[in-house]
Every structure is written in C-alpha cells, then in structure tokens.
Amino acid sequence: CIRDRPGPGVRAGKKRWEIYESPEDVIDLQLACGNGVFCSFYAAQYLHCDEATEALLWLGTDDGFRVYLNGEQVGESLHHDYLGDDAARVPLKLQAGRNLLIVKVSNSGYYAKLRARLTDPNGANPATIRASVRRKE
C-alpha cells in the first residue's frame, strides 16, 4: 500500500509500494501506511487467470473509494463514513493473464479502513483466479 497526502515535498509518482499483511480481514490503512487524515491510500493486488473471466469485488471502506482494473476506473463510491462489510459490489471483467487491481481509499477524517473480497458472479470462491502481490505468479 502507499499513502498520498497533498502538500509541500510530495511529488506524484515518487512513492514506493510496500507489502503489508494485515493480521485481520480488515486493513487499517493508517497502521499499514502511516497516519493520515485528508489523504488517500492505495492498495494493489495482481489477479491472474488462464482465460478471460468475470468476478465481483465486494468492498467495505472508510471513507470513499475508487477501483481501477488495468488502469481503468471500474467503481466508485464517495461517502464519508464506514460503508459496511460487503456494502459495495464492483463487477470485474478480467482478461486472460495478469490483471492489476488498485483500490484508492480517500480519508476525510478519523479512520481509514479497507475490507475486500473476491467472488465469482454467483458469490462463490473464484477457483480460476489466483491473487498475488508480485507481477509474476
């Protein structure tokens, strides 16, 4: 994850990604990336599949979010509180091979949290999708 906070000395594209493994199913982004109010946090995951497939990304965030798949925005919710577990559902059309999923969470005060899970279109475990933090499997 990375944190991006506007202000002196912050230059776009100069941040480094860091691997963070949360001890629970909710990621405390301030703990993972450093405290930050009125800033944005980014989490990334590679999704690998042998053939083009559809999936659902279920999200709970505090505060608003944007979802990008392979560089294109595919989902958004602009809210200012905890959305609730699985409250947002973002359909994903994955291409064969490697797909880059990025979730941006904008913190407008207090907490910054992210809970995400992936299912097939019927809500079952997506057996044909492999997740990784590495570019190659």
Side-chain angles (χ1 to χ4, degrees):
C1 74
I2 60 173
R3 178 180 67 132
D4 185 20
R5 181 179 182 151
V10 174
R11 294 176 24 193
K14 299 297 179 184
K15 304 278 185 216
R16 289 189 53 132
W17 287 97
E18 296 180 23
I19 296 175
Y20 178 78
E21 187 172 333
S22 179
E24 54 189 355
D25 64 349
V26 174
I27 300 171
D28 182 332
L29 294 164
Q30 292 168 305
L31 179 63
C33 303
N35 192 21
V37 177
F38 302 112
C39 66
S40 296
F41 296 88
Y42 296 83
Q45 182 85 58
Y46 288 105
L47 303 174
H48 305 271
C49 40
D50 295 330
E51 59 186 38
T53 188
E54 294 185 10
L56 292 175
L57 177 65
W58 299 84
L59 292 169
T61 62
D62 188 352
D63 295 312
F65 69 82
R66 286 191 176 146
V67 176
Y68 300 90
L69 179 63
N70 299 322
E72 293 189 31
Q73 183 177 325
V74 295
E76 173 180 57
S77 177
L78 305 176
H79 58 277
H80 299 288
D81 205 348
Y82 187 62
L83 186 59
D85 295 346
D86 291 348
R89 182 183 69 182
V90 179
L92 302 177
K93 293 185 180 194
L94 303 172
Q95 61 191 19
R98 181 184 72 215
N99 297 267
L100 177 58
L101 178 70
I102 296 177
V103 178
K104 173 185 178 182
V105 177
S106 298
N107 185 14
S108 61
Y110 302 105
Y111 303 106
K113 299 190 181 218
L114 167 64
R115 183 173 191 267
R117 68 185 183 98
L118 197 65
T119 69
D120 70 13
N122 298 318
N125 182 25
T128 61
I129 301 171
R130 299 170 303 283
S132 170
V133 293
R134 307 268 183 233
R135 194 178 286 251
K136 295 186 179 186
E137 293 181 85

